[in-house]
Coordinates of all heavy atoms in Angstrom, one line a residue:
L19 N 57.9 -31.5 164.3 CA 57.6 -30.2 165.0 C 58.7 -29.8 165.9 O 59.4 -30.7 166.5 CB 56.3 -30.3 165.8 CG 55.0 -30.6 165.0 CD1 53.9 -30.8 165.9 CD2 54.7 -29.5 164.0
G20 N 58.9 -28.5 166.1 CA 59.9 -28.0 167.0 C 59.5 -28.0 168.5 O 58.3 -28.3 168.8
Y21 N 60.4 -27.6 169.3 CA 60.1 -27.6 170.8 C 58.9 -26.7 171.1 O 58.1 -27.1 171.9 CB 61.4 -27.1 171.5 CG 61.2 -26.9 173.0 CD1 61.3 -27.9 173.8 CD2 60.8 -25.7 173.4 CE1 61.1 -27.8 175.2 CE2 60.5 -25.5 174.8 CZ 60.7 -26.5 175.7 OH 60.4 -26.3 177.0
E22 N 58.9 -25.5 170.5 CA 57.8 -24.6 170.9 C 56.5 -25.1 170.5 O 55.5 -25.0 171.3 CB 58.0 -23.2 170.2 CG 59.2 -22.4 170.8 CD 59.0 -22.1 172.2 OE1 57.9 -21.7 172.6 OE2 60.0 -22.1 173.0
Q23 N 56.3 -25.7 169.3 CA 55.1 -26.2 168.9 C 54.6 -27.4 169.8 O 53.4 -27.5 170.1 CB 55.1 -26.7 167.4 CG 55.3 -25.5 166.5 CD 55.7 -26.0 165.1 OE1 56.5 -26.8 164.9 NE2 55.0 -25.4 164.1
L24 N 55.6 -28.3 170.1 CA 55.2 -29.4 171.0 C 54.9 -28.9 172.4 O 53.9 -29.5 173.0 CB 56.4 -30.4 171.0 CG 56.8 -31.1 169.7 CD1 58.1 -31.9 169.9 CD2 55.6 -32.0 169.2
S25 N 55.6 -28.0 172.9 CA 55.3 -27.4 174.2 C 53.9 -26.8 174.2 O 53.1 -27.0 175.2 CB 56.4 -26.4 174.6 OG 56.1 -25.8 175.8
Q26 N 53.6 -26.1 173.2 CA 52.3 -25.4 173.1 C 51.2 -26.5 173.0 O 50.1 -26.3 173.7 CB 52.2 -24.5 171.9 CG 50.9 -23.8 171.8 CD 50.9 -22.8 170.6 OE1 51.8 -22.8 169.8 NE2 49.8 -22.1 170.4
T27 N 51.3 -27.5 172.2 CA 50.3 -28.5 172.1 C 50.1 -29.2 173.5 O 49.0 -29.4 173.9 CB 50.7 -29.6 171.1 OG1 50.8 -28.9 169.8 CG2 49.8 -30.7 171.0
L28 N 51.2 -29.6 174.1 CA 51.1 -30.3 175.4 C 50.4 -29.3 176.5 O 49.6 -29.8 177.2 CB 52.5 -30.7 175.8 CG 52.6 -31.7 176.9 CD1 51.7 -33.0 176.6 CD2 54.0 -32.1 177.2
T29 N 50.8 -28.1 176.5 CA 50.2 -27.1 177.4 C 48.7 -27.0 177.2 O 47.9 -27.1 178.1 CB 50.9 -25.8 177.3 OG1 52.2 -25.9 177.6 CG2 50.2 -24.7 178.1
E30 N 48.3 -26.9 175.9 CA 46.9 -26.8 175.6 C 46.1 -28.0 176.1 O 45.0 -27.9 176.7 CB 46.6 -26.6 174.1 CG 47.1 -25.2 173.6 CD 47.1 -25.1 172.1 OE1 46.8 -26.1 171.4 OE2 47.5 -24.0 171.6
Q31 N 46.6 -29.2 175.8 CA 46.0 -30.4 176.2 C 45.9 -30.6 177.7 O 44.9 -31.1 178.2 CB 46.6 -31.6 175.5 CG 46.4 -31.7 174.0 CD 44.9 -31.7 173.6 OE1 44.2 -32.4 174.2 NE2 44.6 -30.9 172.6
A32 N 47.0 -30.2 178.4 CA 47.0 -30.4 179.8 C 45.9 -29.5 180.5 O 45.2 -30.0 181.3 CB 48.4 -30.0 180.4
K33 N 45.8 -28.3 180.0 CA 44.8 -27.4 180.5 C 43.4 -27.9 180.2 O 42.5 -27.9 181.1 CB 44.9 -26.0 180.0 CG 46.1 -25.2 180.4 CD 46.2 -23.9 179.7 CE 47.4 -23.1 180.1 NZ 47.4 -21.8 179.4
Q34 N 43.2 -28.4 179.0 CA 41.9 -28.9 178.6 C 41.5 -30.2 179.3 O 40.3 -30.3 179.7 CB 41.8 -29.1 177.1 CG 40.6 -29.6 176.5 CD 40.6 -29.8 175.0 OE1 41.6 -29.5 174.4 NE2 39.6 -30.4 174.5
Q35 N 42.4 -31.0 179.5 CA 42.1 -32.4 180.0 C 42.1 -32.5 181.5 O 41.4 -33.3 182.1 CB 43.1 -33.4 179.4 CG 43.1 -33.5 177.9 CD 41.8 -34.1 177.4 OE1 41.2 -35.0 178.1 NE2 41.4 -33.8 176.2
L36 N 43.0 -31.7 182.2 CA 43.1 -31.9 183.6 C 42.4 -30.9 184.5 O 42.3 -31.0 185.7 CB 44.6 -31.8 184.0 CG 45.5 -32.9 183.3 CD1 47.0 -32.6 183.7 CD2 45.0 -34.3 183.7
G37 N 41.8 -29.8 183.9 CA 41.2 -28.8 184.7 C 42.1 -27.8 185.2 O 43.4 -27.9 185.0
L38 N 41.6 -26.8 185.9 CA 42.4 -25.6 186.3 C 43.6 -26.0 187.2 O 44.7 -25.7 186.8 CB 41.5 -24.6 187.0 CG 42.2 -23.4 187.5 CD1 42.7 -22.6 186.2 CD2 41.2 -22.5 188.3
L39 N 43.4 -26.6 188.4 CA 44.5 -26.8 189.3 C 45.5 -27.9 188.8 O 46.7 -27.7 188.8 CB 44.0 -27.2 190.6 CG 43.2 -26.0 191.4 CD1 42.7 -26.5 192.7 CD2 44.1 -24.8 191.5
R40 N 45.0 -29.0 188.4 CA 45.9 -30.1 187.9 C 46.6 -29.6 186.6 O 47.7 -29.9 186.4 CB 45.1 -31.4 187.6 CG 44.7 -32.1 188.9 CD 44.1 -33.5 188.5 NE 43.7 -34.1 189.7 CZ 42.4 -34.3 190.0 NH1 41.4 -33.9 189.2 NH2 42.0 -35.0 191.1
G41 N 45.8 -28.9 185.8 CA 46.4 -28.4 184.5 C 47.5 -27.4 184.8 O 48.6 -27.5 184.1
L42 N 47.3 -26.5 185.7 CA 48.3 -25.6 186.1 C 49.6 -26.2 186.6 O 50.7 -25.9 186.2 CB 47.8 -24.6 187.1 CG 48.8 -23.5 187.6 CD1 49.4 -22.7 186.5 CD2 48.2 -22.6 188.7
A43 N 49.4 -27.2 187.5 CA 50.6 -28.0 188.0 C 51.3 -28.7 186.9 O 52.6 -28.7 186.8 CB 50.1 -29.0 189.0
F44 N 50.6 -29.2 185.9 CA 51.2 -29.9 184.8 C 51.9 -28.9 183.9 O 53.0 -29.2 183.4 CB 50.2 -30.7 184.0 CG 50.8 -31.9 183.3 CD1 50.9 -33.1 183.9 CD2 51.2 -31.7 182.0 CE1 51.4 -34.2 183.2 CE2 51.7 -32.8 181.3 CZ 51.8 -34.0 181.9
V45 N 51.4 -27.8 183.7 CA 52.0 -26.8 182.8 C 53.3 -26.3 183.5 O 54.3 -26.1 182.7 CB 51.1 -25.5 182.6 CG1 51.8 -24.4 182.0 CG2 49.9 -26.0 181.7
L46 N 53.4 -26.2 184.7 CA 54.6 -25.9 185.4 C 55.7 -26.9 185.1 O 56.9 -26.6 184.9 CB 54.4 -25.7 186.9 CG 53.6 -24.5 187.3 CD1 53.4 -24.5 188.8 CD2 54.3 -23.2 186.9
E47 N 55.3 -28.2 185.1 CA 56.2 -29.2 184.7 C 56.7 -29.1 183.3 O 57.9 -29.4 183.0 CB 55.6 -30.6 185.0 CG 55.4 -30.9 186.5 CD 55.0 -32.4 186.7 OE1 55.6 -33.3 186.1 OE2 54.0 -32.6 187.4
I48 N 55.8 -28.8 182.4 CA 56.1 -28.6 181.0 C 57.2 -27.5 180.9 O 58.2 -27.6 180.1 CB 54.9 -28.2 180.2 CG1 53.9 -29.4 180.1 CG2 55.3 -27.8 178.7 CD1 52.5 -29.0 179.6
E49 N 57.0 -26.4 181.6 CA 57.9 -25.3 181.5 C 59.3 -25.6 182.0 O 60.3 -25.0 181.7 CB 57.4 -24.1 182.3 CG 56.2 -23.5 181.6 CD 55.6 -22.3 182.3 OE1 56.1 -21.9 183.4 OE2 54.5 -21.8 181.8
K50 N 59.5 -26.7 182.8 CA 60.8 -27.1 183.3 C 61.5 -28.0 182.3 O 62.7 -28.1 182.4 CB 60.6 -28.0 184.6 CG 60.1 -27.2 185.8 CD 60.0 -28.2 187.0 CE 59.3 -27.5 188.1 NZ 59.1 -28.4 189.3
C51 N 60.8 -28.4 181.2 CA 61.4 -29.3 180.2 C 62.3 -28.4 179.3 O 61.8 -27.4 178.7 CB 60.3 -30.0 179.4 SG 59.4 -31.2 180.3
A52 N 63.5 -28.8 179.1 CA 64.5 -28.1 178.3 C 64.6 -28.8 176.9 O 65.2 -28.1 176.0 CB 65.8 -28.0 179.0
Q53 N 64.2 -30.0 176.8 CA 64.4 -30.7 175.5 C 63.1 -31.4 175.0 O 62.2 -31.7 175.8 CB 65.5 -31.7 175.7 CG 66.8 -31.1 176.0 CD 67.9 -32.2 176.2 OE1 67.5 -33.4 176.4 NE2 69.1 -31.8 176.3
V54 N 63.1 -31.6 173.7 CA 61.9 -32.3 173.1 C 61.7 -33.7 173.8 O 60.5 -34.0 174.0 CB 62.1 -32.4 171.6 CG1 61.0 -33.3 171.0 CG2 62.0 -31.0 171.0
E55 N 62.7 -34.4 174.1 CA 62.6 -35.7 174.7 C 61.9 -35.6 176.0 O 61.1 -36.5 176.4 CB 64.0 -36.4 174.8 CG 64.6 -36.7 173.5 CD 65.3 -35.5 172.8 OE1 65.6 -34.5 173.5 OE2 65.5 -35.6 171.6
A56 N 62.2 -34.6 176.8 CA 61.5 -34.4 178.1 C 60.0 -34.1 177.9 O 59.2 -34.6 178.7 CB 62.2 -33.3 178.9
L57 N 59.7 -33.4 176.9 CA 58.3 -33.1 176.6 C 57.6 -34.4 176.2 O 56.4 -34.6 176.6 CB 58.1 -32.1 175.4 CG 58.5 -30.7 175.7 CD1 58.4 -29.8 174.4 CD2 57.7 -30.1 176.8
R58 N 58.2 -35.2 175.4 CA 57.6 -36.5 175.0 C 57.4 -37.4 176.2 O 56.3 -38.1 176.3 CB 58.4 -37.2 173.9 CG 58.4 -36.4 172.6 CD 59.0 -37.2 171.5 NE 58.8 -36.5 170.3 CZ 59.8 -36.0 169.5 NH1 61.0 -36.2 169.8 NH2 59.5 -35.4 168.3
A59 N 58.3 -37.4 177.1 CA 58.1 -38.3 178.3 C 56.9 -37.7 179.2 O 56.2 -38.5 179.7 CB 59.4 -38.3 179.2
L60 N 56.8 -36.4 179.2 CA 55.7 -35.8 179.9 C 54.4 -36.1 179.3 O 53.4 -36.2 179.9 CB 56.0 -34.3 180.1 CG 55.4 -33.6 181.3 CD1 55.8 -34.3 182.6 CD2 55.8 -32.1 181.3
A61 N 54.4 -36.1 178.0 CA 53.2 -36.5 177.2 C 52.6 -37.8 177.6 O 51.4 -38.1 177.7 CB 53.4 -36.4 175.7
V62 N 53.6 -38.8 177.8 CA 53.2 -40.1 178.2 C 52.5 -40.0 179.6 O 51.5 -40.7 179.8 CB 54.4 -41.1 178.2 CG1 54.1 -42.4 178.9 CG2 55.0 -41.2 176.9
R63 N 53.0 -39.3 180.5 CA 52.4 -39.1 181.8 C 51.0 -38.5 181.7 O 50.1 -38.8 182.5 CB 53.3 -38.3 182.7 CG 54.5 -39.0 183.2 CD 55.4 -38.2 184.2 NE 54.6 -37.5 185.2 CZ 55.0 -36.4 185.7 NH1 56.1 -35.8 185.4 NH2 54.2 -35.8 186.6
L64 N 50.9 -37.5 180.8 CA 49.6 -36.8 180.6 C 48.5 -37.8 180.2 O 47.4 -37.8 180.7 CB 49.7 -35.7 179.7 CG 48.4 -34.9 179.4 CD1 47.8 -34.3 180.7 CD2 48.6 -33.9 178.3
V65 N 48.9 -38.7 179.2 CA 47.9 -39.7 178.8 C 47.5 -40.6 180.0 O 46.3 -40.9 180.1 CB 48.5 -40.5 177.6 CG1 47.6 -41.7 177.3 CG2 48.7 -39.6 176.4
A66 N 48.5 -41.0 180.8 CA 48.2 -41.9 181.9 C 47.3 -41.2 182.9 O 46.4 -41.8 183.4 CB 49.5 -42.3 182.6
Q67 N 47.6 -39.9 183.2 CA 46.8 -39.1 184.1 C 45.3 -39.0 183.6 O 44.4 -39.1 184.4 CB 47.3 -37.7 184.4 CG 48.2 -37.7 185.6 CD 48.6 -36.2 185.9 OE1 49.5 -35.7 185.3 NE2 47.9 -35.6 186.8
V68 N 45.1 -38.7 182.4 CA 43.8 -38.6 181.8 C 43.1 -39.9 181.8 O 41.9 -40.0 182.1 CB 43.9 -38.0 180.3 CG1 42.5 -38.1 179.6 CG2 44.4 -36.6 180.4
G69 N 43.8 -41.0 181.6 CA 43.2 -42.3 181.7 C 42.7 -42.6 183.1 O 41.6 -43.1 183.3
Q70 N 43.4 -42.2 184.1 CA 43.0 -42.3 185.5 C 41.8 -41.4 185.9 O 40.9 -41.9 186.6 CB 44.2 -42.0 186.5 CG 45.2 -43.0 186.4 CD 46.5 -42.7 187.3 OE1 46.5 -41.5 187.8 NE2 47.4 -43.6 187.5
L71 N 41.8 -40.2 185.4 CA 40.8 -39.3 185.7 C 39.5 -39.5 184.9 O 38.4 -39.3 185.4 CB 41.3 -37.8 185.5 CG 42.3 -37.3 186.5 CD1 42.9 -36.0 186.0 CD2 41.7 -37.2 187.9
K72 N 39.7 -39.7 183.6 CA 38.5 -39.7 182.7 C 38.2 -41.0 182.0 O 37.2 -41.2 181.3 CB 38.7 -38.7 181.6 CG 38.8 -37.2 182.1 CD 38.9 -36.3 181.0 CE 38.8 -34.8 181.5 NZ 38.8 -33.9 180.3
G73 N 39.1 -42.0 182.2 CA 38.9 -43.3 181.6 C 39.6 -43.5 180.3 O 40.2 -42.6 179.7
P74 N 39.7 -44.8 179.9 CA 40.5 -45.2 178.7 C 40.0 -44.5 177.4 O 40.9 -44.3 176.5 CB 40.3 -46.7 178.6 CG 39.1 -47.0 179.5 CD 39.0 -45.9 180.5
Q75 N 38.8 -44.2 177.2 CA 38.4 -43.6 176.0 C 39.0 -42.2 175.8 O 39.4 -41.8 174.8 CB 36.8 -43.5 175.9 CG 36.2 -44.7 175.2 CD 34.7 -44.5 174.9 OE1 34.0 -43.8 175.7 NE2 34.3 -45.0 173.8
A76 N 38.9 -41.4 176.9 CA 39.5 -40.1 176.9 C 41.0 -40.1 176.7 O 41.6 -39.3 176.0 CB 39.1 -39.4 178.2
A77 N 41.6 -41.1 177.4 CA 43.0 -41.3 177.2 C 43.4 -41.6 175.8 O 44.4 -41.1 175.2 CB 43.6 -42.3 178.2
G78 N 42.6 -42.5 175.2 CA 42.9 -42.9 173.8 C 42.7 -41.7 172.8 O 43.5 -41.6 171.9
A79 N 41.7 -40.9 173.0 CA 41.5 -39.7 172.2 C 42.6 -38.8 172.3 O 43.1 -38.2 171.3 CB 40.2 -39.1 172.5
L80 N 43.1 -38.5 173.6 CA 44.2 -37.7 173.8 C 45.5 -38.2 173.1 O 46.3 -37.5 172.5 CB 44.4 -37.4 175.3 CG 45.7 -36.7 175.7 CD1 45.7 -35.3 175.1 CD2 45.9 -36.7 177.2
Q81 N 45.7 -39.5 173.3 CA 46.8 -40.1 172.7 C 46.9 -39.9 171.2 O 47.9 -39.7 170.6 CB 46.9 -41.6 173.1 CG 48.1 -42.3 172.6 CD 48.1 -43.7 173.1 OE1 47.6 -44.1 174.1 NE2 48.8 -44.6 172.4
Q82 N 45.7 -40.1 170.6 CA 45.7 -39.9 169.1 C 46.1 -38.4 168.8 O 46.8 -38.2 167.8 CB 44.3 -40.2 168.6 CG 44.1 -40.1 167.1 CD 45.0 -41.1 166.4 OE1 45.3 -42.1 166.9 NE2 45.4 -40.7 165.2
R83 N 45.6 -37.4 169.5 CA 45.9 -36.0 169.3 C 47.4 -35.8 169.5 O 48.1 -35.1 168.7 CB 45.1 -35.1 170.2 CG 43.7 -34.9 169.7 CD 43.0 -33.8 170.5 NE 42.8 -34.1 171.9 CZ 41.8 -34.8 172.4 NH1 40.9 -35.4 171.6 NH2 41.7 -35.0 173.7
L84 N 48.0 -36.4 170.5 CA 49.4 -36.2 170.8 C 50.2 -37.0 169.7 O 51.4 -36.5 169.4 CB 49.7 -36.7 172.2 CG 49.1 -35.9 173.3 CD1 49.5 -36.5 174.7 CD2 49.4 -34.4 173.2
F85 N 49.7 -38.1 169.3 CA 50.5 -38.8 168.2 C 50.5 -38.0 166.9 O 51.6 -37.8 166.3 CB 49.7 -40.1 167.9 CG 50.3 -40.8 166.7 CD1 51.5 -41.5 166.7 CD2 49.6 -40.8 165.5 CE1 52.0 -42.1 165.6 CE2 50.1 -41.4 164.3 CZ 51.3 -42.1 164.4
Q86 N 49.4 -37.3 166.6 CA 49.4 -36.5 165.4 C 50.3 -35.3 165.6 O 50.8 -34.8 164.6 CB 47.9 -36.0 165.1 CG 47.1 -37.1 164.7 CD 45.6 -36.7 164.7 OE1 45.2 -35.7 165.2 NE2 44.8 -37.6 164.1
A87 N 50.5 -34.9 166.8 CA 51.5 -33.7 167.0 C 52.9 -34.2 167.2 O 53.8 -33.4 167.3 CB 51.0 -33.0 168.3
G88 N 53.2 -35.5 167.1 CA 54.5 -36.0 167.2 C 55.0 -36.2 168.6 O 56.2 -36.3 168.9
L89 N 54.1 -36.3 169.6 CA 54.6 -36.4 171.0 C 54.6 -37.8 171.6 O 55.3 -38.1 172.4 CB 53.7 -35.5 171.9 CG 54.0 -34.0 171.9 CD1 52.8 -33.2 172.4 CD2 55.3 -33.7 172.6
V90 N 53.7 -38.7 171.1 CA 53.7 -40.1 171.6 C 53.5 -41.0 170.4 O 53.0 -40.7 169.4 CB 52.6 -40.3 172.6 CG1 52.8 -39.5 173.9 CG2 51.2 -40.1 172.0
A91 N 53.9 -42.2 170.6 CA 53.6 -43.3 169.7 C 52.3 -43.9 170.0 O 51.6 -43.6 171.0 CB 54.7 -44.4 169.8
V92 N 51.8 -44.8 169.1 CA 50.5 -45.5 169.3 C 50.7 -46.4 170.5 O 51.8 -46.7 170.9 CB 50.1 -46.3 168.1 CG1 49.8 -45.3 166.9 CG2 51.2 -47.3 167.7
A93 N 49.6 -46.8 171.1 CA 49.6 -47.7 172.3 C 50.2 -49.0 172.0 O 50.0 -49.5 170.9 CB 48.2 -47.8 172.8
R94 N 51.0 -49.5 172.9 CA 51.5 -50.9 172.7 C 50.4 -51.9 173.0 O 49.3 -51.4 173.6 CB 52.7 -51.1 173.7 CG 53.8 -50.2 173.4 CD 55.0 -50.5 174.3 NE 54.7 -50.7 175.7 CZ 55.4 -50.3 176.7 NH1 56.5 -49.7 176.4 NH2 55.1 -50.6 177.9
T95 N 50.6 -53.1 172.8 CA 49.5 -54.1 173.0 C 49.1 -54.2 174.5 O 48.0 -54.6 174.9 CB 49.9 -55.5 172.5 OG1 51.2 -55.9 173.1 CG2 50.1 -55.5 171.0
D96 N 50.0 -53.8 175.4 CA 49.7 -53.9 176.8 C 49.0 -52.6 177.3 O 48.7 -52.5 178.5 CB 51.0 -54.1 177.7 CG 52.0 -53.0 177.5 OD1 51.7 -52.0 176.9 OD2 53.1 -53.2 178.1
G97 N 48.7 -51.7 176.4 CA 47.9 -50.5 176.8 C 48.7 -49.3 177.2 O 48.2 -48.2 177.4
D98 N 50.0 -49.5 177.3 CA 50.9 -48.4 177.7 C 51.2 -47.5 176.5 O 51.0 -47.9 175.4 CB 52.2 -48.8 178.2 CG 52.1 -49.4 179.7 OD1 51.1 -49.1 180.3 OD2 53.0 -50.1 180.1
T99 N 51.6 -46.3 176.8 CA 52.0 -45.3 175.7 C 53.5 -45.2 175.8 O 54.1 -45.3 176.9 CB 51.3 -44.0 176.0 OG1 50.0 -44.1 176.2 CG2 51.5 -43.0 174.9
V100 N 54.1 -45.0 174.7 CA 55.6 -44.8 174.7 C 56.0 -43.5 174.0 O 55.2 -43.1 173.1 CB 56.2 -46.0 173.9 CG1 56.1 -47.3 174.7 CG2 55.7 -46.2 172.5
P101 N 57.1 -42.9 174.4 CA 57.5 -41.7 173.8 C 57.8 -42.0 172.3 O 58.1 -43.1 171.9 CB 58.8 -41.4 174.5 CG 58.7 -42.0 175.8 CD 57.9 -43.3 175.5
F102 N 57.6 -40.9 171.5 CA 57.7 -41.1 170.0 C 58.6 -40.0 169.5 O 58.5 -38.9 169.8 CB 56.3 -40.9 169.5 CG 56.2 -40.9 168.0 CD1 56.2 -42.1 167.3 CD2 56.0 -39.8 167.3 CE1 56.1 -42.2 166.0 CE2 55.9 -39.8 165.9 CZ 56.0 -41.0 165.2
A103 N 59.5 -40.5 168.6 CA 60.4 -39.6 167.9 C 59.9 -39.6 166.4 O 60.2 -40.6 165.7 CB 61.8 -40.0 168.1
R104 N 59.2 -38.7 166.0 CA 58.7 -38.7 164.6 C 59.9 -38.4 163.6 O 60.7 -37.5 163.8 CB 57.7 -37.6 164.4 CG 57.1 -37.5 163.0 CD 55.9 -36.6 163.0 NE 54.8 -37.4 163.5 CZ 53.5 -37.1 163.3 NH1 53.2 -36.1 162.5 NH2 52.6 -37.8 163.8
S105 N 59.9 -39.1 162.6 CA 60.9 -39.0 161.5 C 60.6 -37.7 160.7 O 59.5 -37.3 160.5 CB 60.9 -40.1 160.5 OG 60.7 -41.3 161.1
P106 N 61.7 -37.0 160.3 CA 61.5 -35.8 159.5 C 60.8 -36.2 158.2 O 61.1 -37.3 157.6 CB 62.9 -35.3 159.2 CG 63.8 -36.1 160.1 CD 63.1 -37.3 160.6
Q107 N 59.9 -35.4 157.8 CA 59.1 -35.7 156.5 C 59.6 -34.8 155.4 O 60.1 -33.8 155.5 CB 57.7 -35.5 156.7 CG 57.1 -36.4 157.7 CD 55.6 -36.3 158.0 OE1 54.9 -35.6 157.3 NE2 55.1 -37.0 159.0

């Protein structure tokens, strides 16, 4: 996926998962990202924030959605999320 699609996916998830104020603050961070790699790093932070706010199940569900969008890799065995660079198909 391209930058615009990844940015849109991350923006939608931030608003949905973090609520109005936290979501808005996160969207401003998304808008500062100039490259796909920066979006992917921010996606990792979003999963962590959702985990803190809503618990591991919500973080896992978000991580799965972001993985399908090409923003994060699957969780490592230590529970962390890592940025993901999807291969062209």
